[in-house]
Amino acid sequence: MNRRDFLITTSAAALVPRIALASAPVELIAQPVSAQILPKGEPITPMLGFNGSTPGPELRARQGDVFDIRFLNQINEGSAVHWHGLRISNAMDGVPGMTQDVVEKGGDFEYRFRAPDAGTFWFHSHNRSWEQVARGLYGPLIVEEPTPPDVDQDLVVMIDDWRLTESGALADGFENMHDQAHQGRLGNFARALVEPNAPIRLSDRLRLRLINVATDRIFPVELAGIEGKVVALDGMPLVSPQELSGLVLAPAQRADIIVDVVSTNSVSIFFPTRDAPYLLGEVQVEGKNTTRQPTDIPTLPPNKAALPDIGNAVSLTLTMEGGAMSRRMVQGMTGGGIWALNGQSGLKDTPFHSFENGQTARIRLVNETRFAHGIHLHGHHFFEVGGDDSLGAFRDTTLVEPGETRDILCVFDNPGKWLLHCHMLGHQAAGMKTWVEVV
Ligand code: C2O
Ligand code: CU
């Protein structure tokens, strides 16, 4: 372990701009940036970002508003922007080779869509994402409810890790086969970026929108100095708010929590590790909110969603295979892909399945590997099915542990071609991806 390993940090210095979308087009420029990833006074890190920073600007609008975004690519290779978790039209999904052409260096593309759901989403590059996202090409996208819950501050918390060299640069080897065959590219430095708009006070009620933007690391999180509940997962409100304990965020997953500040010192976010809790981020508490009355944590209003037609659902199985210590490694070493879904590595001409618009599917996700996978479906959310066959959370990314089997129920009601892939981006790079079609 070098000295960067398990460094402790507090919230960062540079303020990430917020862009409120009225209806006027917004420019989103992918470009090289430098970022103070390490604590102040330590070296800066050359990265990629949007509009001069990584994370990119916070894009914020109200439910039903139109996002009109002119994307300009000023990095040295092709790119495109995917709006993760938004149930929008296929042509706006940002997947080069599937829904649009790659936006070449110097090129641009206009993304225009209406935000159907209120919630916490994010955007990221979807071209060579394992490298472009690791280099910083992502940002938060927030859609507010028509009547947002009553809180003192509504804050995005972006959780990421980076693999840094002694000089503060990103280590190269973004396609390292050893990483890809294991849990992916794990960083040696991690941070939860929180930037309060005003001092945080004792008794304040906060809405924290946690987003795991790491390419490959799963973050269990423990919170200190606050009490409250999880009110939404992957942007979608929970039918009844859940306890904060045991919260785990796979890459790309989000959790909205509403909490009351109960400490006079600080609000802290920890990542429990085998050795000790790693402090991801911390905000000092200053003063006291004397006007807020204690009330129950509210339930957020649901977004519109078709209920699955369970009786007529088509049953499908998607088996995850490959990785270190698997037979498939031989194929991986000879260029056939380290990871596969139902024996296929990478995208083929034919989809995993072609659904009729509105059809319900029950998909059994079988993880036959020794690693965890966060399976993400584009353009839709799906229900996680509980062990007792109950409908669980309505998510766009589900974490399937090694050896685990999980059923999901999805109403395929968004026409087009949609990716279905592991959001451990190193696994995606090494073949763990397929696609479905809704016609
Ligand atoms: Cu977050 Cu295929 O994407
Ligand atoms: Cu995976």
Side-chain angles (χ1 to χ4, degrees):
M1 243 194 231
N2 67 30
R3 79 187 169 91
R4 292 259 179 269
D5 289 345
F6 295 95
L7 262 180
I8 284 178
T9 180
T10 54
S11 66
L15 270 179
V16 172
R18 265 191 183 186
I19 299 182
L21 285 103
S23 264
V26 161
E27 280 193 345
L28 194 62
I29 308 171
Q31 56 196 181
V33 301
S34 26
Q36 187 73 57
I37 301 295
L38 290 167
K40 256 205 178 133
E42 297 220 34
I44 56 160
T45 304
M47 297 191 54
L48 299 176
F50 290 106
N51 299 8
S53 69
T54 178
E58 180 181 309
L59 304 179
R60 206 176 250 268
R62 277 280 157 99
Q63 186 168 19
D65 282 356
V66 170
F67 283 76
D68 189 350
I69 294 162
R70 193 158 161 259
F71 168 61
L72 295 107
N73 183 9
Q74 293 178 2
I75 68 168
N76 246 325
E77 60 179 12
S79 195
V81 184
H82 171 57
W83 315 94
H84 184 113
L86 277 94
R87 301 188 290 168
I88 54 178
S89 75
N90 197 241
M92 297 292 109
D93 198 41
V95 180
M98 178 160 279
T99 67
Q100 67 169 93
D101 291 335
V102 71
V103 182
E104 300 292 356
K105 174 185 179 185
D108 61 6
F109 190 88
E110 176 136 4
Y111 292 99
R112 207 181 141 81
F113 50 86
R114 198 173 285 282
D117 300 313
T120 301
F121 304 96
W122 65 299
F123 56 94
H124 62 80
S125 157
H126 215 298
N127 191 48
R128 305 192 58 256
S129 55
W130 49 92
E131 175 166 345
Q132 291 189 8
V133 173
R135 286 192 185 276
L137 279 184
Y138 58 73
L141 190 155
I142 305 304
V143 183
E144 295 177 350
E145 296 80 11
T147 316
D150 171 31
V151 296
D152 296 298
Q153 292 198 52
D154 171 340
L155 300 171
V156 168
V157 181
M158 303 202 95
I159 305 174
D160 200 355
D161 71 345
W162 300 267
R163 189 179 294 178
L164 301 172
T165 65
E166 280 294 304
S167 65
L170 288 169
D172 51 20
F174 293 93
E175 296 181 3
N176 178 302
M177 193 185 273
H178 181 271
D179 290 339
Q180 290 181 346
H182 291 78
Q183 200 56 70
R185 179 183 168 98
L186 302 178
N188 50 10
F189 183 76
R191 185 179 73 190
L193 181 65
V194 202
E195 294 172 334
N197 304 313
I200 285 181
R201 302 164 297 178
L202 178 65
S203 304
D204 270 349
R205 176 159 280 192
L206 309 175
R207 177 182 189 158
L208 301 179
R209 301 169 179 269
L210 276 51
I211 310 177
N212 180 357
V213 296
T215 52
D216 299 274
R217 188 186 285 281
I218 302 165
F219 281 101
V221 288
E222 268 170 24
L223 299 134
I226 50 184
E227 275 173 13
K229 295 248 162 91
V230 181
V231 294
L233 292 171
D234 293 354
M236 295 296 181
L238 295 173
V239 180
S240 48
Q242 285 173 6
E243 298 305 319
L244 285 179
S245 61
L247 185 60
V248 176
L249 294 169
Q253 288 187 325
R254 289 89 66 209
D256 282 48
I257 66 177
I258 296 183
V259 294
D260 296 323
V261 178
V262 296
S263 164
T264 51
N265 298 315
S266 61
V267 170
S268 319
I269 303 168
F270 293 99
F271 164 46
T273 72
R274 218 181 312 156
D275 310 316
Y278 179 102
L279 182 63
L280 287 170
E282 188 167 54
V283 182
Q284 299 310 311
V285 173
E286 295 169 41
K288 181 172 166 51
N289 180 341
T290 51
T291 53
R292 180 161 287 278
Q293 299 301 318
T295 51
D296 287 346
I297 301 296
T299 300
L300 299 177
N303 288 311
K304 274 207 194 85
L307 275 181
D309 179 1
I310 299 175
N312 293 307
V314 51
S315 288
L316 301 166
T317 299
L318 198 64
T319 303
M320 298 155 233
E321 301 157 356
M325 296 169 286
S326 75
R327 272 177 297 159
R328 199 174 167 93
M329 271 314 278
V330 182
Q331 280 145 283
M333 311 288 270
T334 54
I338 298 170
W339 297 99
L341 293 169
N342 289 356
Q344 287 201 341
S345 188
L347 297 183
K348 299 286 182 278
D349 291 342
T350 49
F352 161 56
H353 197 82
S354 181
F355 299 97
E356 267 167 52
N357 194 356
Q359 193 174 15
T360 297
R362 184 180 183 123
I363 306 178
R364 178 152 297 175
L365 302 172
V366 183
N367 183 354
E368 289 188 347
T369 79
R370 294 172 193 248
F371 300 89
H373 304 287
I375 302 296
H376 170 51
L377 172 64
H378 282 222
H380 299 78
H381 274 60
F382 50 78
F383 292 92
E384 291 180 332
V385 180
D388 53 356
D389 241 27
S390 58
L391 277 196
F394 192 47
R395 311 201 67 142
D396 59 50
T397 305
T398 186
L399 178 62
V400 191
E401 298 288 350
E404 191 184 1
T405 292
R406 148 118 10 86
D407 284 10
I408 58 171
L409 271 165
C410 183
V411 181
F412 285 91
D413 58 1
N414 196 356
K417 296 177 172 182
W418 304 104
L419 281 183
L420 175 60
H421 65 84
C422 181
H423 221 289
M424 275 75 173
L425 298 177
H427 294 173
Q428 185 196 355
M432 194 175 268
K433 58 182 154 196
T434 184
W435 62 287
V436 299
E437 169 176 61
V438 180
V439 289

